[in-house]
Amino acid sequence: MSNHQKIRRLVFLSFFTAIIIVQNLVPFLGYLPIGPLDLTLIHITVIVAAFVLGPVDGAIIGGIWGIITFVRAFIWPTSPLATIVFINPLIAILPRVMIGIVAGGIFALALKKYNKPYRVLPLAAILGACCNTLLVLGQIYLFYQGKSQILYHIDAKALLPYLLTVVGTNGIPEAILAGIVAPLISVPLIKKWNFHE
């Protein structure tokens, strides 16, 4: 990779980092509050970064979002639930990193294997979004199954149905939105600035 390409990649990393920070600080740009949880939009930025720059840089952008999520849980939480679950770095950071790895990795593989790799983008975006949702909610269940009374006084037997409801009300819409919006933004950027050569 030439110095010019390295500089361009750093500029794009900075650009995506700035977007992530703005989405976390400006209400309704990154989170839409719905009940005790938020409908997340930030994952789309991570997925676009992963498509345009590759899985490693997508993981970095996801990690930046995760670190912000972790810090915000202590000083400026996005919801009451965030003060309980996102103080755990495994829940706050790991799922965000995996968005970039999953979405970017699938697209990188498609670039090597298929003549029309752009057709994979909606599926890769959906799987990246689902990875985030399943890892966050799965770890909430894992870590808080015996302590579900602190999660809005949810009965231990009601925790799993509650989390499955969140998958339906938040996870599925987030995945569908990612599958539509992320490819629409990514394809022109990939064609204009090809980091996959």
Side-chain angles (χ1 to χ4, degrees):
M1 183 183 291
S2 68
N3 284 337
H4 178 69
Q5 287 173 315
K6 288 177 182 176
I7 290 169
R8 192 170 67 183
R9 185 178 292 272
L10 284 173
V11 168
F12 267 79
L13 268 173
S14 301
F15 174 70
F16 283 117
T17 300
I19 291 173
I20 292 285
I21 291 169
V22 169
Q23 284 182 301
N24 273 282
L25 297 179
V26 178
F28 302 105
L29 282 184
Y31 299 96
L32 295 176
I34 299 173
L37 292 177
D38 296 311
L39 187 63
T40 306
L41 304 174
I42 301 174
H43 66 294
I44 295 171
T45 305
V46 177
I47 292 167
V48 171
F51 287 162
V52 175
L53 300 173
V56 173
D57 291 335
I60 290 169
I61 296 299
I64 290 167
W65 175 26
I67 291 167
I68 293 170
T69 302
F70 178 69
V71 171
R72 283 193 69 173
F74 293 95
I75 59 171
W76 187 24
T78 56
S79 71
L81 190 60
T83 61
I84 300 168
V85 298
F86 289 132
I87 58 172
N88 182 335
L90 285 176
I91 299 174
I93 300 171
L94 178 64
R96 280 51 162 136
V97 171
M98 292 305 297
I99 296 171
I101 292 172
V102 170
I106 291 169
F107 181 55
L109 186 63
L111 283 170
K112 293 177 183 175
K113 300 282 186 183
Y114 303 115
N115 292 330
K116 297 181 179 178
Y118 295 124
R119 292 183 177 179
V120 175
L121 289 177
L123 176 63
I126 288 169
L127 291 176
C130 288
C131 177
N132 178 56
T133 300
L134 294 176
L135 279 175
V136 169
L137 297 179
Q139 289 185 98
I140 289 173
Y141 184 74
L142 178 70
F143 291 117
Y144 295 97
Q145 182 180 8
K147 304 172 186 173
S148 56
Q149 68 279 2
I150 66 173
L151 299 175
Y152 297 104
H153 306 288
I154 298 170
D155 182 79
K157 293 177 182 176
L159 180 61
L160 184 59
Y162 173 77
L163 294 176
L164 291 174
T165 301
V166 173
V167 169
T169 58
N170 289 40
I172 292 174
E174 287 173 4
I176 292 169
L177 191 63
I180 295 168
V181 176
L184 290 174
I185 298 170
S186 301
V187 171
L189 291 173
I190 295 166
K191 289 181 176 178
K192 175 74 175 172
W193 308 99
N194 189 358
F195 290 96
H196 297 281
E197 291 178 338

